[in-house]
Amino acid sequence: QVRLQESGPGLVKPSETLSLTCGVSNFFINSGYFWGWVRQPPGKGLEWIGSVYQTGSAYYNPSLESRVIISIDTSNNRFSLDLRSVTAADTAVYYCAKATIIYTGNYYFDSWGQGTLVAVSS
Amino acid sequence: SYELTQPTSVSVSPGQTARITCSGDALPERFAFWYQHKSGQAPVLVIYEDSKRPSVIPERFSGSRSGTMATLTISGAQVEDEADYYCFSADSSEEHSGVFGGGTKLTVL
C-alpha cells in the first residue's frame, strides 16, 4: 500500500520560501499517476495547490501560480513543493497526495499523507 | 478557473438522510469526487466518479450527478459521519482545473 510522508520546516518567516518534500513508499512515483499538494488554512476549507505528472509537467491553482513550483524527483521517489514570498495567509496544514487518472482524463486524490502544519511567522 | 459551490452546513438527526450538494458549470463534463475530512486526519475518499463507492466506505454513502449539480447522500446518517465534506473535480488536460468545493459541515445531532 502506498505511503506518503510530508517533511519540511514547521515555521517559515514572511517573504521567505516554504519548501516541503513528500516521500513516497511502496509505490513507484513514475507509474503513470499525478502527485499533488493540498492545503487547509486554519478554519478554512481544502485548497488544491497543484499537481505534477511523472514527466515533470505541473498544473497549478491560478491563485498561487505566480509563487509556486511543484517538482518531481523520480530517482528518489519523491516530489516537492516550493511556495515563494509567503505571508501569514499561507499558514496551513499541507498535504501531499497521489492522484489516479481515470479513462476520461479526470483525476482524483486516492492516497494522502497525514499532513504537516506550516506556520508563517517572524 | 473553475468553482464548485457547496452549502456551508447541513444538520440532521441520527438515522435521517443527509444530502450535500455541489454545483459547478464544469460538472456536466467532469466527474465529481467526494471527500470526508475530520479534524486532524487526512481526507478520505467516500465517492468517486459521481456515484461509485470505495469498498471500505459504508453503503449508506451514495452519490449522483445531474447537469451542473452533484449530490452526496448519506442514508441513515450516524454520529460518526459528522465531518466536513468536500467535492472535488480535476482534469489532466486542463492546466488550472483542480478545484475543491468550499466544504460542508455535516452535523449529526
Side-chain angles (χ1 to χ4, degrees):
Chain A
Q1 186 169 349
V2 61
R3 181 171 175 268
L4 299 98
Q5 180 67 57
E6 304 90 352
S7 61
L11 180 65
V12 181
K13 290 182 168 55
S15 79
E16 295 189 346
T17 297
L18 181 159
S19 294
L20 295 174
T21 296
C22 183
V24 179
S25 305
N26 305 323
F27 201 92
F28 289 114
I29 203 168
N30 58 352
S31 299
Y33 292 80
F34 268 97
W35 303 88
W37 291 94
V38 174
R39 70 179 183 179
Q40 184 180 36
K44 296 189 176 181
L46 297 176
E47 180 180 32
W48 174 72
I49 299 172
S51 305
V52 63
Y53 192 58
Q54 62 185 49
T55 57
S57 295
Y59 297 161
Y60 301 119
N61 186 320
S63 68
L64 299 169
E65 187 173 23
S66 64
R67 300 192 292 128
V68 67
I69 295 176
I70 297 175
S71 56
I72 193 165
D73 180 354
T74 55
S75 298
N76 291 294
N77 223 47
R78 65 188 185 191
F79 60 105
S80 299
L81 168 69
D82 287 314
L83 182 63
R84 300 186 297 274
S85 304
V86 297
T87 69
D90 295 309
T91 293
V93 175
Y94 285 78
Y95 296 95
C96 63
K98 166 184 161 285
T100 290
I101 307 167
I102 64 175
Y103 64 96
T104 60
N106 296 176
Y107 67 89
Y108 64 101
F109 297 112
D110 56 5
S111 299
W112 298 70
Q114 279 303 301
T116 186
L117 175 62
V118 180
V120 178
S121 174
S122 55
Chain B
S1 62
Y2 300 94
E3 290 187 3
L4 295 174
T5 301
Q6 298 180 233
T8 303
S9 63
V10 169
S11 183
V12 297
S13 299
Q16 289 188 328
T17 295
R19 293 183 178 86
I20 300 172
T21 59
C22 171
S23 62
D25 290 340
L27 287 181
E29 291 94 36
R30 294 200 271 168
F31 284 116
F33 302 85
W34 290 93
Y35 294 91
Q36 177 191 71
H37 192 206
K38 296 182 179 180
S39 180
Q41 301 180 20
V44 174
L45 181 73
V46 295
I47 293 290
Y48 65 102
E49 294 179 29
D50 294 339
S51 59
K52 296 180 180 178
R53 181 175 43 80
S55 58
V56 297
I57 301 301
E59 290 184 8
R60 61 181 180 271
F61 288 85
S62 63
S64 62
R65 177 171 61 113
S66 177
T68 60
M69 183 171 289
T71 302
L72 172 68
T73 301
I74 308 173
S75 304
Q78 305 296 308
V79 172
E80 60 263 32
D81 299 331
E82 189 164 290
D84 296 320
Y85 290 85
Y86 296 87
C87 57
F88 174 78
S89 183
D91 192 287
S92 59
S93 66
E94 298 179 46
E95 192 173 343
H96 298 132
S97 68
V99 62
F100 283 95
T104 299
K105 171 64 179 177
L106 174 65
T107 301
V108 183
L109 193 58

